[in-house]
Amino acid sequence: MPAAALCLGTEADAVAELIKRGRVFEANSPEHRMSSLQDLLAGRPLEVHETLGYAVRRGAEVGVPMPLLDGFYRVIATAERIREASALPAGV
């Protein structure tokens, strides 16, 4: 996705471009699922700490607050811990 190009125009232009690209992607790859959804469906751990966690930590290192991303990270990491705990055998 050309993020820099999307930022050059208006918000309406960016939305229209994203919708257009999404429709092309859906038409060409209707069965594709993003990697996190593939992991979830296969019962694999999500890479929440390696992705969102890294971005939050890096933002803190360079002084860029990311409150929304930090909130998403905390919610998803908690959900992942609950999911992992529920998959443990009884008594563990």
Side-chain angles (χ1 to χ4, degrees), residues 17-37:
E17 182 64 22
L18 288 172
I19 289 171
K20 181 179 107 180
R21 287 174 178 261
R23 287 186 177 139
V24 169
F25 190 80
E26 182 179 34
N28 293 326
S29 303
E31 299 302 316
H32 177 76
R33 302 294 179 261
M34 61 185 259
S35 64
S36 295
L37 180 55

Side-chain angles (χ1 to χ4, degrees), residues 5-66:
L6 290 175
C7 294
L8 294 175
T10 66
E11 182 178 343
D13 291 340
V15 169
E17 182 64 22
L18 288 172
I19 289 171
K20 181 179 107 180
R21 287 174 178 261
R23 287 186 177 139
V24 169
F25 190 80
E26 182 179 34
N28 293 326
S29 303
E31 299 302 316
H32 177 76
R33 302 294 179 261
M34 61 185 259
S35 64
S36 295
L37 180 55
Q38 291 177 39
D39 290 341
L40 188 63
L41 294 173
R44 293 187 296 263
L46 298 177
E47 296 174 339
V48 64
H49 303 295
E50 296 83 359
T51 55
L52 296 177
Y54 171 79
V56 169
R57 289 187 303 275
R58 187 70 180 122
E61 288 171 8
V62 298
V64 177
M66 298 187 190

